[in-house]
Amino acid sequence: MTDDVWKRDEIQSPCIKICVVHPESRICTGCYRTIDEIRDWSKMTNEDRAGIMDDLPERASKLVKRRGGRSARLKRS
């Protein structure tokens, strides 16, 4: 018996198990997909998945990372 039965010929999810949604862009900071794309991934065609995969690198550069949290916003005298 082999595992070949369980292999599928489809584009795999880009999920890296760091699921945090950016508060402004509403994009996951781990895989750069929208909530809707994450939800619908298993129902998408390979063509739809490929289109999303092509867009991901550009999305990554659009996320503004917050550094320093609350202490970075406080003015120090």
Side-chain angles (χ1 to χ4, degrees):
M1 187 167 202
T2 68
D3 289 335
D4 291 340
V5 174
W6 300 108
K7 292 182 182 177
R8 295 194 233 176
D9 188 25
E10 61 186 28
I11 297 173
Q12 297 299 308
S13 166
C15 179
I16 59 170
K17 296 181 175 69
I18 300 176
C19 304
V20 177
V21 177
H22 189 276
E24 294 172 11
S25 68
R26 307 297 298 156
I27 293 174
C28 176
T29 60
C31 68
Y32 307 117
R33 292 180 294 169
T34 66
I35 297 301
D36 292 339
E37 290 167 346
I38 293 168
R39 180 194 65 219
D40 296 337
W41 190 262
S42 64
K43 301 174 206 162
M44 290 182 182
T45 65
N46 268 352
E47 292 77 22
D48 291 338
R49 290 179 181 188
I52 291 168
M53 295 295 284
D54 289 343
D55 291 343
L56 297 183
E58 184 179 327
R59 293 179 189 183
S61 66
K62 291 182 179 180
L63 291 183
V64 176
K65 295 185 181 178
R66 295 166 49 184
R67 299 185 183 268
R70 182 175 181 269
S71 63
R73 293 189 303 267
L74 298 175
K75 291 183 180 179
R76 298 184 189 244
S77 4

